[in-house]
């Protein structure tokens, strides 16, 4: 190829404008932010102001915390084994027989029922607990439950009335379970069996009482269920003993009866049945939710980011309008 053609191509290549790419976009973005620093400052200040206003409107709450673990079977602080050791033969009194993946401990039941299901129904029969959970619905002067005051509850009642329904007035077990589901948090500690349970309430004493009531009601429900099962098995074995005359069969049933009577005796011991309270309920002396040291700076950063986004969108719209204007002039 002739040298002149190569030189001509090189000159054409050098004369083309090389696009800046992402680096140019970054410089343009930084320039846009620096030119609109007043907008960024206003966004940051607006976020701080909104956070401070929200903190004044939101009722601060106390966080009651307790740590629980499985009931100890051995040791000086333990209640002992509720299920007796096998007495020389395979006993049907062994708790929860079956494959390993089918067994369910009392502690697992405790965590599953904590504040829900039959435990919530049990708690719904406690007037003091209901008034603590739903203070806005309790009329202390009249001594009865009422619909909650305010605009939003009134709108809700109106919408329900339009479809032929009514809002609830007196709380029941289902409402208690929903309220506790929103307030209770159960966290695992160091991937072990212990759990940290937290509950928030506007009153510190009420928060401590609530979490203690729930723990006591859950343990009492499981103890009552275990006692019912044990009593049913004892009655069944006694009925079979009265009808059987074979000595070997009577001896086997007598062993089962002895085991079940031991279980019933241990169930009645006045100690925690399903879960030991490793750390009793406690709460800080001052409200700890929401935390202003976290909420206020975070709201300021959100306002700053929002202002930066608005500036970037505004700059992009201006560039798009300018490009459309230049294109129209070129077509002319």
């Amino acid at each position: 190829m002739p040298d002149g053609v190569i030189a001509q191509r090189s000159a054409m290549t050098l004369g083309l404008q090389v696009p800046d790419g992402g680096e140019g976009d970054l410089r343009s973005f930084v320039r846009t932010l620096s030119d609109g620093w007043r907008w960024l400052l206003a966004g940051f200040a607006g976020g701080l102001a909104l956070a401070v206003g929200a903190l004044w409107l939101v009722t601060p709450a106390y966080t009651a915390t307790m740590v629980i673990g499985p009931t100890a079977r051995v040791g000086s602080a333990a209640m002992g084994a509720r299920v007796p050791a096998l007495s020389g033969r395979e006993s049907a009194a062994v708790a929860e027989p079956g494959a390993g993946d089918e067994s369910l401990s009392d502690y697992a039941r405790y965590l599953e029922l904590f504040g829900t299901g039959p435990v919530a129904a049990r708690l719904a029969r406690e007037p003091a607990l209901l008034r603590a959970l739903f203070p806005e619905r309790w009329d202390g002067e009249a001594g009865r439950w009422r619909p909650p005051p305010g605009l939003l509850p009134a709108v809700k009642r109106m919408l329900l009335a339009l479809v032929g329904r009514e809002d609830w007035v007196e709380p029941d077990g289902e409402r208690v379970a929903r309220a506790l589901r929103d307030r209770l948090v159960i966290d695992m500690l160091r991937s072990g069996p212990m759990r940290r349970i937290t509950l928030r309430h506007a009153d510190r004493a009420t928060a401590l009482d609530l979490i203690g009531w729930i723990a006591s009601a859950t343990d009492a429900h499981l103890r009552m269920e275990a006692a019912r099962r044990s009593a049913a098995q004892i009655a069944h074995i006694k009925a079979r003993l009265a009808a059987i005359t074979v000595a070997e069969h009577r001896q086997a049933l007598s062993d089962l009866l002895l085991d079940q009577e031991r279980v019933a005796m241990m169930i009645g011991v006045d100690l925690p049945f399903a879960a030991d309270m490793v750390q009793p309920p406690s709460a800080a002396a001052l409200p700890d939710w929401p935390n202003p040291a976290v909420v206020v700076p975070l709201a300021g950063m959100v306002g700053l980011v929002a202002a930066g986004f608005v500036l970037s969108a505004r700059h992009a719209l201006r560039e798009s309008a300018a490009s459309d204007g230049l294109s129209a002039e070129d077509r002319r």
Side-chain angles (χ1 to χ4, degrees):
M1 184 177 293
D3 294 339
V5 176
I6 297 176
Q8 184 178 1
R9 288 189 177 179
S10 300
M12 291 176 62
T13 304
L14 293 174
L16 294 175
Q17 183 178 0
V18 180
D20 294 335
E23 186 176 355
D25 293 341
L26 179 59
R27 285 200 298 267
S28 176
F29 177 70
V30 173
R31 189 185 313 111
T32 301
L33 294 183
S34 60
D35 293 340
W37 63 270
R38 294 180 181 85
W39 289 87
L40 296 177
L41 183 60
F44 183 76
L48 294 181
L50 289 176
V52 172
L55 289 175
W56 277 103
L57 294 176
V58 174
T59 303
Y62 297 83
T63 303
T65 305
M66 75 174 184
V67 178
I68 61 171
T71 306
R73 299 289 184 258
V74 295
S76 57
M79 71 171 291
R82 291 193 303 273
V83 180
L86 298 179
S87 56
R89 66 178 65 199
E90 294 294 332
S91 174
V94 177
E96 298 145 0
D101 56 351
E102 296 177 354
S103 62
L104 185 65
S105 66
D106 293 328
Y107 184 61
R109 291 188 177 94
Y110 182 94
L111 295 176
E112 182 65 25
L113 293 176
F114 195 86
T116 62
V119 175
R122 187 188 187 100
L123 294 172
R125 297 191 290 267
E126 299 291 337
L129 184 139
L130 293 179
R131 290 193 291 268
L133 276 180
F134 309 101
E136 72 284 354
R137 290 180 173 265
W138 175 252
D139 189 350
E141 297 180 357
R144 59 183 177 84
W145 295 98
R146 64 180 179 186
L151 178 60
L152 292 179
V155 172
K156 178 184 177 182
R157 289 194 297 271
M158 182 185 67
L159 295 176
L160 289 175
L162 290 176
V163 296
R165 296 170 57 186
E166 295 180 358
D167 191 15
W168 65 277
V169 178
E170 185 172 354
D172 54 7
E174 175 63 22
R175 299 297 170 179
V176 171
R178 290 186 184 182
L180 293 178
R181 192 183 307 120
D182 295 336
R183 296 169 182 264
L184 285 171
V185 178
I186 302 178
D187 297 320
M188 180 183 295
L189 288 182
R190 294 180 293 276
S191 68
M194 291 192 298
R195 298 291 188 273
R196 179 189 290 113
I197 303 177
T198 57
L199 180 143
R200 289 196 178 102
H201 197 274
D203 183 72
R204 182 177 181 274
T206 303
L208 294 174
D209 291 340
L210 278 176
I211 199 169
W213 281 337
I214 300 169
S216 299
T218 307
D219 198 80
H221 171 76
L222 291 174
R223 186 191 300 272
M224 183 179 63
E225 183 66 16
R228 182 187 68 83
R229 288 173 175 270
S230 180
Q233 293 187 46
I234 290 175
H236 177 73
I237 295 172
K238 287 183 177 179
R240 295 296 296 169
L241 273 174
I244 292 178
T245 58
V246 180
E248 290 81 1
H249 294 174
R250 291 185 60 84
Q251 182 61 41
L253 288 175
S254 298
D255 293 339
L256 290 177
L257 179 61
L258 179 60
D259 290 344
Q260 284 301 321
E261 288 178 345
R262 290 175 181 174
V263 171
M265 180 183 64
M266 295 306 298
I267 290 174
V269 177
D270 188 16
L271 287 172
F273 176 78
D276 271 328
M277 199 171 293
V278 181
Q279 175 183 319
S282 62
L286 298 175
D288 55 359
W289 184 90
N291 188 359
V294 176
V295 174
V296 174
L298 183 61
M301 293 303 299
V302 171
L304 185 66
V305 172
F309 177 78
V310 171
L311 284 174
S312 300
R314 180 185 176 191
H315 179 70
L317 290 175
R318 285 183 175 180
E319 286 189 346
S320 177
S323 299
D324 293 341
L326 291 176
S327 299
E329 291 180 359
D330 292 341
R331 286 195 298 268
R332 291 177 185 176

